[in-house]
């Protein structure tokens, strides 16, 4: 087992959250609240009513949980790659494209159980537009811990996993596309004489991988956010996962599933550029330690 990948993924994920959180808040509000009609209008309204703090509501818990989920994703991905190579009897050769895809799929699915409660709290806090600033109404949730406990009290532990099915359907295919795109671009732009891609290639590949992953994951991201917010501010509208899809398409049209694609891609490039740079840097340092076991580089056949 390559422990370096779990540690590097954890720290890289935390850095990614810090870079992309303001745009993530705008994205969630656009997806779940009809009062916001676009990226700029939402950003201006949030700042005028809540100040800079409004863009960072609920960030404390995601920094912690995404550190754990990124650890799970990168650790699972790397170890699945190694297991798949060993299963076909070529432990030291490059991975096939199918192996990269399946390993990314496994990593995305595995992180769901860890990510769902923190993501639920994040979405609830991001959609809480009340603010004490300028005489605003009293917010329902006083912070991440109060929000977490309130959800458990009002909806039970199952409430923390509302939208988990949509989250799994988002992250499985999304991370499969994510890692395949990253590995493919690194492979295409790295000279055969070089063992590792240049940092400029890592940055480009990481940014493009993030955009590709979100292009695949955005429709399920919309459904996930709506299921998580259903009943929190008004009466419940959706009877379940499939009813949410059908009702959303019926009332707002199919285009609503890609309403936040632009901001997802805008946010994804810098965030995942930072994530992969930090991951490659930290994993390289940890594997260079005297007691570490070096993991083979990821390549494609």
């Amino acid at each position: 087992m390559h422990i370096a990948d779990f540690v590097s993924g954890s720290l890289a994920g935390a850095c990614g959250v810090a870079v992309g959180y303001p745009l993530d808040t705008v994205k969630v509000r656009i997806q779940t609240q009809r009062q916001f009609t676009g990226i700029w209008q939402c950003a201006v309204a949030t700042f005028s009513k809540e100040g800079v703090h409004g863009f960072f509501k609920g960030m404390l818990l995601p920094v912690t949980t995404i550190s754990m989920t990124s650890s799970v994703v990168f650790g699972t991905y790397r170890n699945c790659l190694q297991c798949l190579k060993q299963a076909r009897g070529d432990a030291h050769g490059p991975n096939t494209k199918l192996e990269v895809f399946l390993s990314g799929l496994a990593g995305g699915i595995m992180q769901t159980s860890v990510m769902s409660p923190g993501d639920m709290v994040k979405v609830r806090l991001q959609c809480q537009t009340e603010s004490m600033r300028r005489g605003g109404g009293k917010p329902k949730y006083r912070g991440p811990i109060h929000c977490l406990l309130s959800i458990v009290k009002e909806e039970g532990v199952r409430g923390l996993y509302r939208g988990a099915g949509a989250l799994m359907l988002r992250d499985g295919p999304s991370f499969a596309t994510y890692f395949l795109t990253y590995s493919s671009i690194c492979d295409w732009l790295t000279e055969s004489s070089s063992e590792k891609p240049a940092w400029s290639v890592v940055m480009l590949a990481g940014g493009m991988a993030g955009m590709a992953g979100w292009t695949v994951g955005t429709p399920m991201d919309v459904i996930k956010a709506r299921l998580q917010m259903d009943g929190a501010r008004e009466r419940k509208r959706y009877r379940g996962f499939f009813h949410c899809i059908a009702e959303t398409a019926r009332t707002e049209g199919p285009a609503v599933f890609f309403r936040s694609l632009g901001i997802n891609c805008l946010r994804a490039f810098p965030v995942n550029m930072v994530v992969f740079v930090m991951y490659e840097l930290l994993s390289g340092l940890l594997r260079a330690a005297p007691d570490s076991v070096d993991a083979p580089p990821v390549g494609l056949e």
Side-chain angles (χ1 to χ4, degrees):
M1 179 177 288
H2 305 299
I3 303 300
D5 296 285
F6 287 97
V7 177
S8 302
S10 175
L11 296 174
C15 292
V17 173
V19 171
Y21 203 83
L23 284 175
D24 187 64
T25 296
V26 173
K27 176 208 72 170
V28 170
R29 291 186 174 191
I30 290 173
Q31 287 177 336
T32 60
Q33 300 181 40
R34 296 183 183 181
Q35 70 193 73
F36 300 118
T37 57
I39 297 172
W40 181 249
Q41 183 264 341
C42 180
V44 170
T46 299
F47 181 76
S48 63
K49 185 178 180 181
E50 305 165 63
V52 175
H53 170 71
F55 295 100
F56 293 92
K57 281 184 174 179
M59 191 177 82
L60 181 60
L61 193 60
V63 166
T64 304
T65 56
I66 289 180
S67 292
M68 292 188 291
T69 58
S70 292
S71 173
V72 171
V73 168
F74 279 92
T76 301
Y77 168 72
R78 179 69 72 171
N79 284 282
C80 280
L81 284 178
Q82 189 66 15
C83 289
L84 289 172
K85 285 199 297 185
Q86 290 174 348
R88 64 180 169 87
D90 187 12
H92 300 290
N95 286 101
T96 65
K97 292 182 179 180
L98 178 61
E99 288 170 349
V100 171
F101 184 87
L102 292 176
S103 298
L105 183 70
I109 292 173
M110 283 293 292
Q111 72 147 2
T112 305
S113 60
V114 180
M115 184 178 187
S116 190
D119 190 65
M120 180 69 166
V121 171
K122 174 184 77 71
V123 169
R124 289 284 178 93
L125 288 173
Q126 286 176 321
C127 291
Q128 182 172 267
T129 57
E130 297 84 4
S131 175
M132 298 303 290
R133 186 173 181 259
R134 296 182 183 177
K138 183 179 179 181
K140 179 178 180 180
Y141 305 118
R142 297 192 297 269
I145 302 302
H146 180 251
C147 181
L148 182 73
L149 296 176
S150 296
I151 293 172
V152 173
K153 181 180 179 181
E154 296 169 6
E155 306 171 44
V157 176
R158 289 183 62 184
L160 295 173
Y161 289 88
R162 183 185 294 178
L167 181 63
M168 188 176 295
L169 288 173
R170 182 196 77 175
D171 286 352
S174 179
F175 274 104
T177 305
Y178 179 69
F179 283 111
L180 181 59
T181 301
Y182 177 76
S183 296
S184 297
I185 293 176
C186 285
D187 189 54
W188 294 334
L189 298 181
T190 301
E191 296 180 3
S192 56
S193 58
S194 301
E195 291 185 3
K196 296 181 180 180
W199 286 112
S200 58
V201 173
V202 170
M203 294 169 70
L204 176 63
M208 294 302 294
M211 293 176 69
W214 274 110
T215 300
V216 172
T218 291
M220 280 299 107
D221 190 53
V222 173
I223 297 303
K224 172 196 72 72
R226 294 193 172 204
L227 288 172
Q228 289 173 327
M229 282 302 298
D230 191 30
R233 302 176 64 89
E234 52 191 27
R235 65 180 182 84
K236 282 181 68 68
R237 298 176 56 195
Y238 309 119
R239 295 193 297 269
F241 175 73
F242 292 106
H243 181 252
C244 180
I245 295 175
E247 188 67 11
T248 299
R250 184 184 69 82
T251 57
E252 300 176 63
V256 71
F257 295 112
F258 293 95
R259 178 186 291 175
S260 56
L261 178 59
I263 193 169
N264 276 340
C265 290
L266 179 65
R267 166 179 161 268
F269 194 95
V271 167
N272 291 284
M273 179 178 70
V274 170
V275 166
F276 271 106
V277 166
M278 292 302 297
Y279 170 74
E280 296 288 1
L281 178 63
L282 292 170
S283 60
L285 291 173
L286 291 172
R287 289 176 193 146
D291 296 329
S292 68
V293 178
D294 188 41
V298 178
L300 296 177
E301 288 183 345

